[in-house]
Amino acid sequence: MELITVKDKDYSGKRVFVRVDFNVPLDKNLNITDDTRIRASLDTINYLLSQNAIVICSSHLGRPKGKPVLEMSLEPVAKRLSELTGKQVKFAKDCIGTEAKKVVDSAKPGDIILLENLRFHPEEEENDETFAKELAGLADCYVNDAFGSSHRAHASIVGITKFLQDKAAGFLIEKEVNALSKLLENPERPFLLIIGGAKVADKIGMIRNLLDRVDTIITGGVMAYTFIRANNWETGNSKVEIDAIPLAKEIYKELRKRHLEFHTPLDHVVADKIAEDAHYFTTERGTVPIGWTGVDIGPQAIEEYVDCIRRARTIFWNGPMGVFEIEAFAKGTIEIAKAIAATNAFSVVGGGDSIAAINKAGVADKISHICTGGGASLEFLEGKGLPGIDVLKK
Ligand code: AMP
């Protein structure tokens, strides 16, 4: 997929509207607890500054549902962005109207502006044309670097490009699209898909689209229990996505046609409750007793999965193998993270929890690519065009 990128353009002296994803977590005192998303767009921001542009950053934060919410203001992000860029970021208290215009009009080339939360206006998520035109009116050019929001047809992602014809993808989007495209177009074989977590139905489309590309699939979490149940094995009180069982049965049919290697865990850690003080033990597949809940893959499953990982040349991982937030049930997920890090395979990891596990295992620098947008990466791999990326194609 060929995108128009910032490298194709000259931004000298221009006002550039940069859609970023600064949707960072804040604590009760409005301190940023993880600034990964801000750091992820620094390459693009610094590049535009080096081109002597006026950089107008714009983002959403949380779900304010179309009205101003103090706790979801981007003002703390402006402070952090100032620290990270070494420049005084000018904060505009609204993303449109006189507030925004005043700040933009007073800016000089080389300045950075951050506009207030786009979603304080319902028109952002409605992809409203008048709102998009107002945003566009602040700038001469458009750059999208918000990969994690590009599956949404919102005003700052899609609508705005009707009014700012000079548009391009930032470095983050370019990097994400290149890594994910590598999985879809000619991945080096064997290609291993590792799929876990709790949102089963959300991931079925991605599994289906990858069936013609992967050699091996390994499963964990609620995903695995849903497949195990679709095969009529006992799962005790393990969490299963009942509505997704017919979809899992369809996937089984497709797997048989293609003779793919597909694994559910050979054994499980089962607990009497999902809590720090739970009682737990290990049992084989199909023998989870009533009253007990599967919370992690067992030692035999880990051994088998690590072997699959060692053989792979391309790996995509989304979703933990168990309830890894609880220390006693994190082993399967952490072992998977470590095994991926130990290979030379091209590895891509997506989804907040898998990324958290990679960080917990301390192996982030050993992963070829970590996706910044879980939902967007799943939709991309599902083969659906992303509206925000489609408008940036050459
Ligand atoms: P997802 O967002 O689909 O990747 O799901 C991640 C969530 O799945 C995490 O919060 C895990 O605690 C949860 N999870 C993984 N395995 C299990 C399980 N066996 N039972 C209940 N929840 C699980």
Side-chain angles (χ1 to χ4, degrees):
M1 182 190 293
E2 276 235 66
L3 297 177
I4 310 162
T5 75
V6 287
K7 287 274 187 193
D8 299 324
K9 307 273 181 181
D10 174 10
Y11 292 108
S12 181
K14 301 228 174 100
R15 297 170 304 165
V16 189
F17 186 102
V18 189
R19 175 54 158 106
V20 283
D21 181 358
F22 286 169
N23 184 23
V24 291
L26 299 169
D27 67 14
K28 272 186 260 141
N29 299 320
L30 305 184
N31 294 311
I32 297 167
T33 54
D34 181 353
D35 65 2
T36 308
R37 286 188 167 147
I38 307 176
R39 290 175 186 274
S41 276
L42 286 180
D43 280 352
T44 300
I45 292 170
N46 286 330
Y47 176 76
L48 294 170
L49 290 174
S50 74
Q51 291 251 307
N52 219 23
I54 296 173
V55 180
I56 309 166
C57 295
S58 164
S59 177
H60 72 282
L61 194 156
R63 294 193 172 137
K65 304 208 171 97
K67 56 181 186 333
V69 176
L70 183 67
E71 295 74 30
M72 293 180 201
S73 169
L74 279 162
E75 201 157 2
V77 176
K79 284 202 200 88
R80 188 78 193 103
L81 187 58
S82 297
E83 288 160 16
L84 290 170
T85 57
K87 289 203 155 233
Q88 190 60 44
V89 172
K90 296 172 197 293
F91 183 68
K93 287 189 176 348
D94 199 352
C95 63
I96 53 164
T98 48
E99 282 290 339
K101 214 173 163 321
K102 199 172 66 192
V103 178
V104 172
D105 285 349
S106 68
K108 299 180 296 299
D111 281 351
I112 317 179
I113 295 161
L114 177 61
L115 305 177
E116 182 57 287
N117 196 337
L118 289 156
R119 291 194 189 164
F120 284 180
H121 296 267
E123 295 88 350
E124 160 65 0
E125 289 174 82
E126 291 160 4
N127 197 18
D128 178 85
E129 197 164 306
T130 312
F131 181 75
K133 196 172 174 185
E134 277 216 57
L135 293 176
L138 296 170
D140 307 304
C141 330
Y142 174 73
V143 170
N144 184 0
D145 212 27
F147 178 74
S149 305
S150 291
H151 55 317
R152 312 256 184 239
H154 291 171
S156 65
I157 299 284
V158 174
I160 189 168
T161 60
K162 185 173 164 194
F163 304 102
L164 283 176
Q165 306 289 335
D166 186 338
K167 56 192 178 179
F171 294 120
L172 177 62
I173 290 220
E174 194 186 8
K175 205 164 70 177
E176 296 273 6
V177 168
N178 284 346
L180 294 169
S181 299
K182 225 167 140 174
L183 300 178
L184 294 178
E185 298 156 14
N186 257 328
E188 205 183 324
R189 316 295 281 259
F191 180 0
L192 169 68
L193 172 62
I194 309 172
I195 195 86
K199 293 182 217 97
V200 178
D202 286 5
K203 300 178 192 181
I204 294 281
M206 179 269 290
I207 299 175
R208 199 178 279 134
N209 193 43
L210 290 184
L211 284 178
D212 287 329
R213 296 167 171 91
V214 298
D215 301 281
T216 312
I217 301 177
I218 60 186
T219 59
V222 179
M223 176 68 73
Y225 292 109
T226 306
F227 275 100
I228 290 172
R229 269 285 269 288
N231 231 350
N232 297 321
W233 277 318
E234 186 53 64
T235 55
N237 279 39
S238 304
K239 201 167 163 212
V240 169
E241 198 168 302
I242 299 289
D243 294 348
I245 288 180
L247 298 171
K249 285 188 172 161
E250 268 174 45
I251 298 281
Y252 267 128
K253 267 194 216 147
E254 295 296 321
L255 290 166
R256 275 193 282 275
K257 271 192 228 156
R258 291 173 173 81
H259 305 289
L260 294 182
E261 194 185 324
F262 181 86
H263 299 277
T264 52
L266 286 170
D267 56 353
H268 315 283
V269 176
V270 297
D272 57 352
K273 58 182 173 182
I274 298 183
E276 298 281 350
D277 60 345
H279 296 285
Y280 55 92
F281 66 96
T282 301
T283 190
E284 305 234 321
R285 182 174 55 203
T287 65
V288 181
I290 301 293
W292 292 78
T293 303
V295 287
D296 195 9
I297 58 174
Q300 290 183 59
I302 293 177
E303 200 182 317
E304 187 177 58
Y305 286 5
V306 168
D307 180 57
C308 292
I309 292 167
R310 282 202 192 112
R311 285 187 278 125
R313 296 298 308 145
T314 302
I315 300 170
F316 177 63
W317 179 27
N318 180 301
M321 296 290 104
V323 186
F324 82 108
E325 295 92 336
I326 295 177
E327 198 62 38
F329 313 143
K331 189 167 190 323
T333 305
I334 297 293
E335 291 302 321
I336 294 298
K338 285 186 186 158
I340 297 172
T343 67
N344 292 322
F346 174 70
S347 54
V348 179
V349 178
D353 292 302
S354 315
I355 296 168
I358 291 283
N359 288 329
K360 204 166 160 185
V363 295
D365 58 332
K366 302 276 190 329
I367 306 299
S368 313
H369 180 73
I370 294 182
C371 296
T372 55
S377 62
L378 284 178
E379 288 197 21
F380 192 96
L381 293 176
E382 213 172 301
K384 283 184 182 170
L386 305 191
I389 305 290
D390 288 346
V391 293
L392 303 175
K393 280 187 189 160
K394 263 188 184 157

